[in-house]
PDB file of all heavy atoms in Angstrom:
ATOM      1  N   LEU A 276      59.868 150.622 191.868  1.00 75.00           N
ATOM      2  CA  LEU A 276      58.727 150.084 192.636  1.00 75.00           C
ATOM      3  C   LEU A 276      58.210 148.760 192.100  1.00 75.00           C
ATOM      4  O   LEU A 276      57.212 148.232 192.574  1.00 75.00           O
ATOM      5  CB  LEU A 276      57.602 151.107 192.697  1.00 75.00           C
ATOM      6  CG  LEU A 276      57.878 152.398 193.447  1.00 75.00           C
ATOM      7  CD1 LEU A 276      56.661 153.340 193.383  1.00 75.00           C
ATOM      8  CD2 LEU A 276      58.251 152.125 194.914  1.00 75.00           C
ATOM      9  N   VAL A 313      53.088 119.149 197.656  1.00 83.00           N
ATOM     10  CA  VAL A 313      53.398 119.142 196.211  1.00 83.00           C
ATOM     11  C   VAL A 313      53.579 120.564 195.710  1.00 83.00           C
ATOM     12  O   VAL A 313      54.494 120.851 194.920  1.00 83.00           O
ATOM     13  CB  VAL A 313      52.290 118.411 195.419  1.00 83.00           C
ATOM     14  CG1 VAL A 313      52.490 118.577 193.915  1.00 83.00           C
ATOM     15  CG2 VAL A 313      52.266 116.922 195.781  1.00 83.00           C
ATOM     16  N   ALA A 339      56.031 123.232 182.171  1.00 91.00           N
ATOM     17  CA  ALA A 339      56.256 124.294 183.177  1.00 91.00           C
ATOM     18  C   ALA A 339      54.958 124.478 183.947  1.00 91.00           C
ATOM     19  O   ALA A 339      53.873 124.067 183.495  1.00 91.00           O
ATOM     20  CB  ALA A 339      56.662 125.607 182.472  1.00 91.00           C
ATOM     21  N   ARG A 359      56.156 119.768 173.448  1.00 92.00           N
ATOM     22  CA  ARG A 359      57.060 118.714 173.008  1.00 92.00           C
ATOM     23  C   ARG A 359      58.518 119.159 173.225  1.00 92.00           C
ATOM     24  O   ARG A 359      58.875 120.336 172.957  1.00 92.00           O
ATOM     25  CB  ARG A 359      56.851 118.400 171.527  1.00 92.00           C
ATOM     26  CG  ARG A 359      55.507 117.740 171.233  1.00 92.00           C
ATOM     27  CD  ARG A 359      55.465 117.202 169.826  1.00 92.00           C
ATOM     28  NE  ARG A 359      54.154 116.538 169.594  1.00 92.00           N
ATOM     29  CZ  ARG A 359      53.960 115.248 169.886  1.00 92.00           C
ATOM     30  NH1 ARG A 359      54.932 114.512 170.392  1.00 92.00           N
ATOM     31  NH2 ARG A 359      52.768 114.694 169.664  1.00 92.00           N
ATOM     32  N   TRP A 377      69.043 134.625 178.839  1.00 91.00           N
ATOM     33  CA  TRP A 377      67.899 134.365 177.994  1.00 91.00           C
ATOM     34  C   TRP A 377      66.933 133.419 178.713  1.00 91.00           C
ATOM     35  O   TRP A 377      67.338 132.666 179.617  1.00 91.00           O
ATOM     36  CB  TRP A 377      68.266 133.752 176.639  1.00 91.00           C
ATOM     37  CG  TRP A 377      69.056 132.490 176.732  1.00 91.00           C
ATOM     38  CD1 TRP A 377      70.418 132.335 176.701  1.00 91.00           C
ATOM     39  CD2 TRP A 377      68.531 131.137 176.907  1.00 91.00           C
ATOM     40  NE1 TRP A 377      70.788 131.033 176.828  1.00 91.00           N
ATOM     41  CE2 TRP A 377      69.658 130.276 176.959  1.00 91.00           C
ATOM     42  CE3 TRP A 377      67.248 130.634 177.006  1.00 91.00           C
ATOM     43  CZ2 TRP A 377      69.499 128.898 177.092  1.00 91.00           C
ATOM     44  CZ3 TRP A 377      67.086 129.255 177.135  1.00 91.00           C
ATOM     45  CH2 TRP A 377      68.219 128.392 177.188  1.00 91.00           C
ATOM     46  N   SER A 430      64.219 117.652 200.130  1.00 71.00           N
ATOM     47  CA  SER A 430      63.527 116.916 199.081  1.00 71.00           C
ATOM     48  C   SER A 430      63.416 115.448 199.412  1.00 71.00           C
ATOM     49  O   SER A 430      62.370 114.833 199.205  1.00 71.00           O
ATOM     50  CB  SER A 430      64.265 117.100 197.735  1.00 71.00           C
ATOM     51  OG  SER A 430      63.645 116.383 196.716  1.00 71.00           O
ATOM     52  N   ALA A 433      60.814 115.006 202.159  1.00 76.00           N
ATOM     53  CA  ALA A 433      59.442 115.183 201.627  1.00 76.00           C
ATOM     54  C   ALA A 433      59.046 113.925 200.800  1.00 76.00           C
ATOM     55  O   ALA A 433      57.886 113.481 200.889  1.00 76.00           O
ATOM     56  CB  ALA A 433      59.375 116.433 200.734  1.00 76.00           C
ATOM     57  N   ALA A 495      45.979  85.823 203.864  1.00 77.00           N
ATOM     58  CA  ALA A 495      44.891  85.014 204.406  1.00 77.00           C
ATOM     59  C   ALA A 495      44.540  85.499 205.792  1.00 77.00           C
ATOM     60  O   ALA A 495      45.433  85.827 206.587  1.00 77.00           O
ATOM     61  CB  ALA A 495      45.271  83.542 204.444  1.00 77.00           C
ATOM     62  N   GLU A 507      48.043  85.684 207.863  1.00 79.00           N
ATOM     63  CA  GLU A 507      49.189  85.056 207.264  1.00 79.00           C
ATOM     64  C   GLU A 507      49.555  85.827 205.975  1.00 79.00           C
ATOM     65  O   GLU A 507      48.692  86.402 205.312  1.00 79.00           O
ATOM     66  CB  GLU A 507      48.938  83.606 206.914  1.00 79.00           C
ATOM     67  CG  GLU A 507      48.715  82.723 208.153  1.00 79.00           C
ATOM     68  CD  GLU A 507      48.443  81.271 207.759  1.00 79.00           C
ATOM     69  OE1 GLU A 507      47.417  81.035 207.078  1.00 79.00           O
ATOM     70  OE2 GLU A 507      49.234  80.414 208.148  1.00 79.00           O
ATOM     71  N   GLY A 523      59.924  81.943 204.820  1.00 65.00           N
ATOM     72  CA  GLY A 523      59.481  83.132 204.138  1.00 65.00           C
ATOM     73  C   GLY A 523      58.050  83.507 204.420  1.00 65.00           C
ATOM     74  O   GLY A 523      57.435  84.268 203.675  1.00 65.00           O
TER      75      GLY A 523
END
Side-chain angles (χ1 to χ4, degrees):
L276 294 178
V313 171
R359 292 190 177 275
W377 58 265
S430 178
E507 295 179 299

